[in-house]
mmCIF file of all heavy atoms in Angstrom:
data_model
loop_
_atom_site.group_PDB
_atom_site.id
_atom_site.type_symbol
_atom_site.label_atom_id
_atom_site.label_comp_id
_atom_site.label_asym_id
_atom_site.label_seq_id
_atom_site.Cartn_x
_atom_site.Cartn_y
_atom_site.Cartn_z
ATOM 1 N N CYS A 1 107.744 268.031 206.863
ATOM 2 C CA CYS A 1 107.389 267.504 205.632
ATOM 3 C C CYS A 1 106.795 266.116 205.824
ATOM 4 O O CYS A 1 106.791 265.563 206.922
ATOM 5 C CB CYS A 1 108.633 267.303 204.620
ATOM 6 S SG CYS A 1 109.524 268.835 204.396
ATOM 7 N N THR A 2 106.251 265.417 204.881
ATOM 8 C CA THR A 2 105.887 264.087 204.929
ATOM 9 C C THR A 2 107.122 263.194 205.347
ATOM 10 O O THR A 2 108.160 263.318 204.585
ATOM 11 C CB THR A 2 105.368 263.469 203.686
ATOM 12 O OG1 THR A 2 104.190 264.416 203.295
ATOM 13 C CG2 THR A 2 104.869 262.112 203.803
ATOM 14 N N PRO A 3 107.164 262.482 206.412
ATOM 15 C CA PRO A 3 108.323 261.763 206.893
ATOM 16 C C PRO A 3 108.777 260.781 205.860
ATOM 17 O O PRO A 3 108.029 260.155 205.226
ATOM 18 C CB PRO A 3 107.850 261.176 208.231
ATOM 19 C CG PRO A 3 106.749 261.932 208.592
ATOM 20 C CD PRO A 3 105.981 262.447 207.414
ATOM 21 N N ALA A 4 110.142 260.634 205.756
ATOM 22 C CA ALA A 4 110.726 259.551 204.929
ATOM 23 C C ALA A 4 110.571 258.171 205.771
ATOM 24 O O ALA A 4 110.904 258.143 206.961
ATOM 25 C CB ALA A 4 112.197 259.868 204.678
ATOM 26 N N THR A 5 110.087 257.234 204.948
ATOM 27 C CA THR A 5 109.838 255.950 205.626
ATOM 28 C C THR A 5 111.119 255.091 205.776
ATOM 29 O O THR A 5 111.161 254.121 206.521
ATOM 30 C CB THR A 5 108.816 255.128 204.804
ATOM 31 O OG1 THR A 5 109.455 254.855 203.474
ATOM 32 C CG2 THR A 5 107.470 255.906 204.615
ATOM 33 N N GLY A 6 112.167 255.351 204.966
ATOM 34 C CA GLY A 6 113.426 254.592 204.970
ATOM 35 C C GLY A 6 113.237 253.477 204.070
ATOM 36 O O GLY A 6 114.187 252.633 203.954
ATOM 37 N N ASP A 7 112.230 253.361 203.226
ATOM 38 C CA ASP A 7 112.023 252.264 202.246
ATOM 39 C C ASP A 7 112.854 252.474 201.006
ATOM 40 O O ASP A 7 113.212 251.593 200.259
ATOM 41 C CB ASP A 7 110.571 252.091 201.898
ATOM 42 C CG ASP A 7 109.746 251.404 203.075
ATOM 43 O OD1 ASP A 7 110.374 250.792 203.944
ATOM 44 O OD2 ASP A 7 108.545 251.762 203.159
ATOM 45 N N ASP A 8 113.097 253.760 200.755
ATOM 46 C CA ASP A 8 113.794 254.094 199.493
ATOM 47 C C ASP A 8 115.246 253.529 199.534
ATOM 48 O O ASP A 8 116.012 254.117 200.441
ATOM 49 C CB ASP A 8 113.785 255.602 199.263
ATOM 50 C CG ASP A 8 114.393 255.960 197.882
ATOM 51 O OD1 ASP A 8 114.866 255.052 197.225
ATOM 52 O OD2 ASP A 8 114.303 257.105 197.509
ATOM 53 N N PRO A 9 115.699 252.625 198.702
ATOM 54 C CA PRO A 9 117.035 252.151 198.740
ATOM 55 C C PRO A 9 118.073 253.126 198.456
ATOM 56 O O PRO A 9 119.236 253.086 198.792
ATOM 57 C CB PRO A 9 117.084 251.096 197.634
ATOM 58 C CG PRO A 9 115.972 251.375 196.702
ATOM 59 C CD PRO A 9 114.924 252.058 197.556
ATOM 60 N N ALA A 10 117.774 254.236 197.807
ATOM 61 C CA ALA A 10 118.744 255.391 197.511
ATOM 62 C C ALA A 10 119.022 256.246 198.687
ATOM 63 O O ALA A 10 119.918 257.036 198.797
ATOM 64 C CB ALA A 10 118.142 256.303 196.384
ATOM 65 N N GLU A 11 118.164 256.122 199.881
ATOM 66 C CA GLU A 11 118.322 256.901 201.100
ATOM 67 C C GLU A 11 119.560 256.737 201.687
ATOM 68 O O GLU A 11 120.269 257.805 202.102
ATOM 69 C CB GLU A 11 117.105 256.719 201.940
ATOM 70 C CG GLU A 11 116.913 257.661 203.079
ATOM 71 C CD GLU A 11 115.775 257.533 203.945
ATOM 72 O OE1 GLU A 11 114.681 257.859 203.367
ATOM 73 O OE2 GLU A 11 115.815 257.191 205.128
ATOM 74 N N GLN A 12 119.974 255.532 201.759
ATOM 75 C CA GLN A 12 121.326 255.350 202.480
ATOM 76 C C GLN A 12 122.421 255.873 201.839
ATOM 77 O O GLN A 12 123.409 256.338 202.289
ATOM 78 C CB GLN A 12 121.414 253.812 202.713
ATOM 79 C CG GLN A 12 121.516 253.096 201.424
ATOM 80 C CD GLN A 12 121.818 251.498 201.750
ATOM 81 O OE1 GLN A 12 122.497 251.132 202.593
ATOM 82 N NE2 GLN A 12 121.157 250.589 200.782
ATOM 83 N N TYR A 13 122.411 255.875 200.430
ATOM 84 C CA TYR A 13 123.397 256.567 199.569
ATOM 85 C C TYR A 13 123.479 258.033 199.772
ATOM 86 O O TYR A 13 124.481 258.681 199.621
ATOM 87 C CB TYR A 13 123.316 256.083 198.155
ATOM 88 C CG TYR A 13 123.373 254.618 197.995
ATOM 89 C CD1 TYR A 13 122.289 253.876 197.734
ATOM 90 C CD2 TYR A 13 124.683 253.945 198.097
ATOM 91 C CE1 TYR A 13 122.501 252.450 197.566
ATOM 92 C CE2 TYR A 13 124.881 252.644 197.897
ATOM 93 C CZ TYR A 13 123.658 251.820 197.636
ATOM 94 O OH TYR A 13 123.879 250.490 197.430
ATOM 95 N N HIS A 14 122.289 258.538 199.884
ATOM 96 C CA HIS A 14 122.126 259.963 200.060
ATOM 97 C C HIS A 14 122.712 260.475 201.412
ATOM 98 O O HIS A 14 123.509 261.475 201.560
ATOM 99 C CB HIS A 14 120.699 260.439 200.175
ATOM 100 C CG HIS A 14 120.005 260.324 198.748
ATOM 101 N ND1 HIS A 14 118.650 260.231 198.557
ATOM 102 C CD2 HIS A 14 120.517 260.196 197.459
ATOM 103 C CE1 HIS A 14 118.320 260.105 197.302
ATOM 104 N NE2 HIS A 14 119.403 260.038 196.619
ATOM 105 N N PHE A 15 122.419 259.632 202.515
ATOM 106 C CA PHE A 15 123.102 259.945 203.692
ATOM 107 C C PHE A 15 124.608 259.792 203.609
ATOM 108 O O PHE A 15 125.333 260.569 204.224
ATOM 109 C CB PHE A 15 122.662 258.972 204.865
ATOM 110 C CG PHE A 15 121.251 259.357 205.429
ATOM 111 C CD1 PHE A 15 120.122 258.642 205.311
ATOM 112 C CD2 PHE A 15 121.180 260.655 206.081
ATOM 113 C CE1 PHE A 15 118.979 259.165 205.972
ATOM 114 C CE2 PHE A 15 119.975 260.938 206.725
ATOM 115 C CZ PHE A 15 118.769 260.230 206.513
ATOM 116 N N LEU A 16 125.040 258.791 202.963
ATOM 117 C CA LEU A 16 126.528 258.511 202.837
ATOM 118 C C LEU A 16 127.109 259.679 202.032
ATOM 119 O O LEU A 16 128.230 260.050 202.399
ATOM 120 C CB LEU A 16 126.727 257.242 202.004
ATOM 121 C CG LEU A 16 128.183 256.814 201.889
ATOM 122 C CD1 LEU A 16 128.937 256.545 203.215
ATOM 123 C CD2 LEU A 16 128.295 255.518 200.996
ATOM 124 N N PHE A 17 126.506 260.224 201.076
ATOM 125 C CA PHE A 17 127.006 261.307 200.366
ATOM 126 C C PHE A 17 127.228 262.526 201.297
ATOM 127 O O PHE A 17 128.178 263.219 201.265
ATOM 128 C CB PHE A 17 126.104 261.706 199.109
ATOM 129 C CG PHE A 17 126.543 263.086 198.531
ATOM 130 C CD1 PHE A 17 127.516 263.086 197.654
ATOM 131 C CD2 PHE A 17 125.814 264.139 198.722
ATOM 132 C CE1 PHE A 17 127.893 264.109 196.963
ATOM 133 C CE2 PHE A 17 126.137 265.490 198.134
ATOM 134 C CZ PHE A 17 127.186 265.337 197.232
ATOM 135 N N VAL A 18 126.186 262.771 202.055
ATOM 136 C CA VAL A 18 126.229 264.028 202.858
ATOM 137 C C VAL A 18 127.332 263.765 204.065
ATOM 138 O O VAL A 18 128.042 264.773 204.346
ATOM 139 C CB VAL A 18 124.804 264.224 203.672
ATOM 140 C CG1 VAL A 18 125.022 265.316 204.775
ATOM 141 C CG2 VAL A 18 123.876 264.539 202.637
ATOM 142 N N GLN A 19 127.391 262.573 204.530
ATOM 143 C CA GLN A 19 128.475 262.312 205.451
ATOM 144 C C GLN A 19 129.924 262.418 204.881
ATOM 145 O O GLN A 19 130.807 263.068 205.467
ATOM 146 C CB GLN A 19 128.235 260.930 206.090
ATOM 147 C CG GLN A 19 127.045 260.699 206.906
ATOM 148 C CD GLN A 19 126.456 259.315 207.040
ATOM 149 O OE1 GLN A 19 127.091 258.376 206.419
ATOM 150 N NE2 GLN A 19 125.634 259.095 208.031
ATOM 151 N N CYS A 20 129.935 261.857 203.730
ATOM 152 C CA CYS A 20 131.357 262.031 203.035
ATOM 153 C C CYS A 20 131.684 263.496 202.716
ATOM 154 O O CYS A 20 132.840 263.852 202.938
ATOM 155 C CB CYS A 20 131.396 261.167 201.871
ATOM 156 S SG CYS A 20 131.399 259.330 202.121
ATOM 157 N N SER A 21 130.815 264.253 202.325
ATOM 158 C CA SER A 21 130.971 265.677 201.966
ATOM 159 C C SER A 21 131.318 266.370 203.162
ATOM 160 O O SER A 21 132.171 267.359 203.112
ATOM 161 C CB SER A 21 129.805 266.249 201.221
ATOM 162 O OG SER A 21 128.708 266.319 202.024
ATOM 163 N N SER A 22 130.688 266.116 204.361
ATOM 164 C CA SER A 22 131.082 266.735 205.559
ATOM 165 C C SER A 22 132.450 266.451 206.105
ATOM 166 O O SER A 22 133.138 267.241 206.618
ATOM 167 C CB SER A 22 130.000 266.483 206.655
ATOM 168 O OG SER A 22 129.999 265.118 206.970
ATOM 169 N N VAL A 23 132.894 265.244 205.784
ATOM 170 C CA VAL A 23 134.139 264.738 206.194
ATOM 171 C C VAL A 23 135.257 265.536 205.397
ATOM 172 O O VAL A 23 136.289 266.006 205.863
ATOM 173 C CB VAL A 23 134.400 263.266 206.041
ATOM 174 C CG1 VAL A 23 135.941 262.986 206.164
ATOM 175 C CG2 VAL A 23 133.555 262.528 207.108
ATOM 176 N N ILE A 24 135.037 265.621 204.063
ATOM 177 C CA ILE A 24 135.869 266.381 203.144
ATOM 178 C C ILE A 24 135.953 267.903 203.646
ATOM 179 O O ILE A 24 137.025 268.508 203.644
ATOM 180 C CB ILE A 24 135.376 266.320 201.739
ATOM 181 C CG1 ILE A 24 135.555 264.806 201.149
ATOM 182 C CG2 ILE A 24 136.119 267.240 200.719
ATOM 183 C CD1 ILE A 24 134.816 264.539 199.893
ATOM 184 N N LEU A 25 134.826 268.494 203.972
ATOM 185 C CA LEU A 25 134.878 269.836 204.454
ATOM 186 C C LEU A 25 135.750 269.858 205.669
ATOM 187 O O LEU A 25 136.529 270.843 205.937
ATOM 188 C CB LEU A 25 133.378 270.221 204.793
ATOM 189 C CG LEU A 25 133.214 271.579 205.479
ATOM 190 C CD1 LEU A 25 133.851 272.756 204.695
ATOM 191 C CD2 LEU A 25 131.837 271.895 205.794
ATOM 192 N N GLY A 26 135.590 268.913 206.667
ATOM 193 C CA GLY A 26 136.369 268.929 207.897
ATOM 194 C C GLY A 26 137.853 268.898 207.588
ATOM 195 O O GLY A 26 138.636 269.631 208.196
ATOM 196 N N VAL A 27 138.245 267.990 206.753
ATOM 197 C CA VAL A 27 139.749 267.836 206.395
ATOM 198 C C VAL A 27 140.212 269.155 205.819
ATOM 199 O O VAL A 27 141.290 269.624 206.033
ATOM 200 C CB VAL A 27 139.923 266.606 205.537
ATOM 201 C CG1 VAL A 27 141.341 266.535 205.088
ATOM 202 C CG2 VAL A 27 139.566 265.336 206.233
ATOM 203 N N TYR A 28 139.396 269.625 204.964
ATOM 204 C CA TYR A 28 139.812 270.999 204.196
ATOM 205 C C TYR A 28 139.949 272.033 205.215
ATOM 206 O O TYR A 28 140.994 272.756 205.203
ATOM 207 C CB TYR A 28 138.702 271.311 203.223
ATOM 208 C CG TYR A 28 138.849 272.643 202.576
ATOM 209 C CD1 TYR A 28 139.705 272.772 201.510
ATOM 210 C CD2 TYR A 28 138.237 273.747 202.997
ATOM 211 C CE1 TYR A 28 139.959 274.010 200.932
ATOM 212 C CE2 TYR A 28 138.403 274.973 202.468
ATOM 213 C CZ TYR A 28 139.275 275.243 201.415
ATOM 214 O OH TYR A 28 139.480 276.375 200.751
ATOM 215 N N LEU A 29 139.054 272.260 206.154
ATOM 216 C CA LEU A 29 139.162 273.211 207.087
ATOM 217 C C LEU A 29 140.356 273.077 208.032
ATOM 218 O O LEU A 29 141.061 274.102 208.314
ATOM 219 C CB LEU A 29 137.908 273.287 207.990
ATOM 220 C CG LEU A 29 136.659 273.745 207.225
ATOM 221 C CD1 LEU A 29 135.398 273.551 208.183
ATOM 222 C CD2 LEU A 29 136.721 275.295 206.902
ATOM 223 N N LEU A 30 140.596 271.861 208.538
ATOM 224 C CA LEU A 30 141.752 271.727 209.360
ATOM 225 C C LEU A 30 143.106 271.893 208.677
ATOM 226 O O LEU A 30 143.971 272.660 209.220
ATOM 227 C CB LEU A 30 141.777 270.169 209.828
ATOM 228 C CG LEU A 30 142.859 269.817 210.802
ATOM 229 C CD1 LEU A 30 142.729 270.480 212.068
ATOM 230 C CD2 LEU A 30 142.767 268.294 211.070
ATOM 231 N N SER A 31 143.250 271.450 207.382
ATOM 232 C CA SER A 31 144.430 271.616 206.674
ATOM 233 C C SER A 31 144.761 273.091 206.373
ATOM 234 O O SER A 31 145.821 273.587 206.607
ATOM 235 C CB SER A 31 144.364 270.717 205.506
ATOM 236 O OG SER A 31 143.332 271.086 204.602
ATOM 237 N N THR A 32 143.749 273.739 205.918
ATOM 238 C CA THR A 32 143.866 275.172 205.610
ATOM 239 C C THR A 32 144.106 276.117 206.758
ATOM 240 O O THR A 32 144.916 277.009 206.688
ATOM 241 C CB THR A 32 142.718 275.744 204.743
ATOM 242 O OG1 THR A 32 141.575 275.478 205.637
ATOM 243 C CG2 THR A 32 142.422 275.060 203.452
ATOM 244 N N THR A 33 143.610 275.722 207.966
ATOM 245 C CA THR A 33 143.870 276.415 209.066
ATOM 246 C C THR A 33 145.277 276.318 209.609
ATOM 247 O O THR A 33 146.037 277.269 210.011
ATOM 248 C CB THR A 33 142.876 276.112 210.284
ATOM 249 O OG1 THR A 33 141.499 276.327 209.844
ATOM 250 C CG2 THR A 33 143.225 276.888 211.468
ATOM 251 N N ILE A 34 145.775 274.990 209.605
ATOM 252 C CA ILE A 34 147.105 274.739 210.022
ATOM 253 C C ILE A 34 148.156 275.407 209.083
ATOM 254 O O ILE A 34 149.176 275.958 209.448
ATOM 255 C CB ILE A 34 147.314 273.281 210.134
ATOM 256 C CG1 ILE A 34 146.423 272.574 211.263
ATOM 257 C CG2 ILE A 34 148.794 272.963 210.350
ATOM 258 C CD1 ILE A 34 146.516 271.154 211.387
ATOM 259 N N LEU A 35 147.895 275.252 207.761
ATOM 260 C CA LEU A 35 148.811 275.825 206.723
ATOM 261 C C LEU A 35 148.777 277.290 206.821
ATOM 262 O O LEU A 35 149.863 277.990 206.713
ATOM 263 C CB LEU A 35 148.305 275.413 205.412
ATOM 264 C CG LEU A 35 148.578 274.047 204.882
ATOM 265 C CD1 LEU A 35 148.003 273.678 203.626
ATOM 266 C CD2 LEU A 35 150.051 273.588 204.933
ATOM 267 N N GLY A 36 147.667 277.916 207.175
ATOM 268 C CA GLY A 36 147.471 279.398 207.342
ATOM 269 C C GLY A 36 148.304 279.963 208.549
ATOM 270 O O GLY A 36 148.913 280.987 208.550
ATOM 271 N N ASN A 37 148.414 278.957 209.607
ATOM 272 C CA ASN A 37 149.194 279.482 210.678
ATOM 273 C C ASN A 37 150.755 279.305 210.535
ATOM 274 O O ASN A 37 151.387 279.994 211.032
ATOM 275 C CB ASN A 37 148.725 278.612 212.049
ATOM 276 C CG ASN A 37 147.425 278.946 212.558
ATOM 277 O OD1 ASN A 37 146.987 280.081 212.317
ATOM 278 N ND2 ASN A 37 146.885 277.935 213.048
ATOM 279 N N ILE A 38 151.019 278.363 209.730
ATOM 280 C CA ILE A 38 152.537 278.141 209.318
ATOM 281 C C ILE A 38 152.972 279.198 208.429
ATOM 282 O O ILE A 38 153.963 279.877 208.619
ATOM 283 C CB ILE A 38 152.665 276.768 208.639
ATOM 284 C CG1 ILE A 38 152.328 275.712 209.623
ATOM 285 C CG2 ILE A 38 154.170 276.575 208.191
ATOM 286 C CD1 ILE A 38 152.426 274.234 209.130
ATOM 287 N N ARG A 39 152.275 279.503 207.357
ATOM 288 C CA ARG A 39 152.609 280.492 206.452
ATOM 289 C C ARG A 39 151.332 281.314 206.005
ATOM 290 O O ARG A 39 150.519 280.803 205.349
ATOM 291 C CB ARG A 39 153.302 279.963 205.226
ATOM 292 C CG ARG A 39 153.824 281.043 204.173
ATOM 293 C CD ARG A 39 154.469 280.326 203.082
ATOM 294 N NE ARG A 39 154.955 281.326 202.017
ATOM 295 C CZ ARG A 39 155.576 281.093 200.973
ATOM 296 N NH1 ARG A 39 155.861 279.763 200.654
ATOM 297 N NH2 ARG A 39 155.991 281.939 200.087
ATOM 298 N N PRO A 40 151.223 282.510 206.479
ATOM 299 C CA PRO A 40 149.934 283.354 206.177
ATOM 300 C C PRO A 40 149.622 283.407 204.635
ATOM 301 O O PRO A 40 150.656 283.583 203.893
ATOM 302 C CB PRO A 40 150.249 284.720 206.743
ATOM 303 C CG PRO A 40 151.347 284.434 207.720
ATOM 304 C CD PRO A 40 152.105 283.302 207.258
ATOM 305 N N PHE A 41 148.376 283.322 204.248
ATOM 306 C CA PHE A 41 147.973 283.426 202.845
ATOM 307 C C PHE A 41 147.924 284.884 202.493
ATOM 308 O O PHE A 41 147.621 285.715 203.341
ATOM 309 C CB PHE A 41 146.705 282.689 202.623
ATOM 310 C CG PHE A 41 146.758 281.251 202.962
ATOM 311 C CD1 PHE A 41 145.977 280.785 203.980
ATOM 312 C CD2 PHE A 41 147.574 280.282 202.269
ATOM 313 C CE1 PHE A 41 145.960 279.332 204.347
ATOM 314 C CE2 PHE A 41 147.507 278.989 202.589
ATOM 315 C CZ PHE A 41 146.742 278.449 203.553
ATOM 316 N N SER A 42 147.984 285.083 201.210
ATOM 317 C CA SER A 42 147.729 286.420 200.654
ATOM 318 C C SER A 42 146.223 286.665 200.680
ATOM 319 O O SER A 42 145.515 285.709 200.780
ATOM 320 C CB SER A 42 148.251 286.530 199.203
ATOM 321 O OG SER A 42 147.507 285.639 198.373
ATOM 322 N N GLU A 43 145.882 287.883 200.559
ATOM 323 C CA GLU A 43 144.437 288.227 200.604
ATOM 324 C C GLU A 43 143.638 287.472 199.434
ATOM 325 O O GLU A 43 142.535 287.123 199.768
ATOM 326 C CB GLU A 43 144.310 289.806 200.555
ATOM 327 C CG GLU A 43 142.796 290.206 200.771
ATOM 328 C CD GLU A 43 142.696 291.738 200.823
ATOM 329 O OE1 GLU A 43 143.718 292.440 200.808
ATOM 330 O OE2 GLU A 43 141.591 292.191 200.856
ATOM 331 N N THR A 44 144.263 287.413 198.351
ATOM 332 C CA THR A 44 143.623 286.833 197.245
ATOM 333 C C THR A 44 143.295 285.259 197.475
ATOM 334 O O THR A 44 142.216 284.805 197.377
ATOM 335 C CB THR A 44 144.318 287.028 195.875
ATOM 336 O OG1 THR A 44 144.486 288.377 195.637
ATOM 337 C CG2 THR A 44 143.601 286.320 194.742
ATOM 338 N N VAL A 45 144.341 284.652 197.922
ATOM 339 C CA VAL A 45 144.329 283.271 198.230
ATOM 340 C C VAL A 45 143.254 282.957 199.440
ATOM 341 O O VAL A 45 142.501 282.024 199.393
ATOM 342 C CB VAL A 45 145.710 282.666 198.615
ATOM 343 C CG1 VAL A 45 145.552 281.317 199.183
ATOM 344 C CG2 VAL A 45 146.577 282.705 197.332
ATOM 345 N N SER A 46 143.249 283.867 200.288
ATOM 346 C CA SER A 46 142.416 283.765 201.559
ATOM 347 C C SER A 46 140.932 283.768 201.000
ATOM 348 O O SER A 46 140.133 282.842 201.447
ATOM 349 C CB SER A 46 142.561 284.867 202.512
ATOM 350 O OG SER A 46 143.944 284.861 203.081
ATOM 351 N N TYR A 47 140.558 284.589 200.187
ATOM 352 C CA TYR A 47 139.247 284.721 199.760
ATOM 353 C C TYR A 47 138.897 283.539 198.881
ATOM 354 O O TYR A 47 137.698 283.002 198.807
ATOM 355 C CB TYR A 47 138.942 286.018 199.039
ATOM 356 C CG TYR A 47 138.815 287.153 199.972
ATOM 357 C CD1 TYR A 47 139.752 288.193 200.060
ATOM 358 C CD2 TYR A 47 137.647 287.251 200.804
ATOM 359 C CE1 TYR A 47 139.717 289.244 200.877
ATOM 360 C CE2 TYR A 47 137.476 288.340 201.691
ATOM 361 C CZ TYR A 47 138.525 289.208 201.718
ATOM 362 O OH TYR A 47 138.438 290.298 202.606
#
C-alpha cells in the first residue's frame, strides 16, 4: 500500500491498541491453558 509516513498523531494510539490487545490475548491463552491442565473443561466450555 501507500506507506504510512508516521505523521498521523493517531498512528501511535493504533499501534498501542494492537499491542495491548495482543497482551490481553497472551494472558488469556496462558491462564486458560494452565486452568485446563488443573481441571479439564467440559466440551461446551472448551468451545
Side-chain angles (χ1 to χ4, degrees):
C1 306
T2 300
T5 63
D7 289 333
D8 187 355
E11 186 171 295
Q12 60 179 327
Y13 298 106
H14 294 159
F15 278 119
L16 183 61
F17 171 79
V18 176
Q19 290 161 352
C20 290
S21 63
S22 64
V23 171
I24 293 172
L25 173 63
V27 173
Y28 172 81
L29 290 170
L30 181 64
S31 59
T32 53
T33 301
I34 294 175
L35 289 175
N37 290 329
I38 296 174
R39 183 178 181 180
F41 299 115
S42 65
E43 185 173 354
T44 302
V45 174
S46 297
Y47 284 110

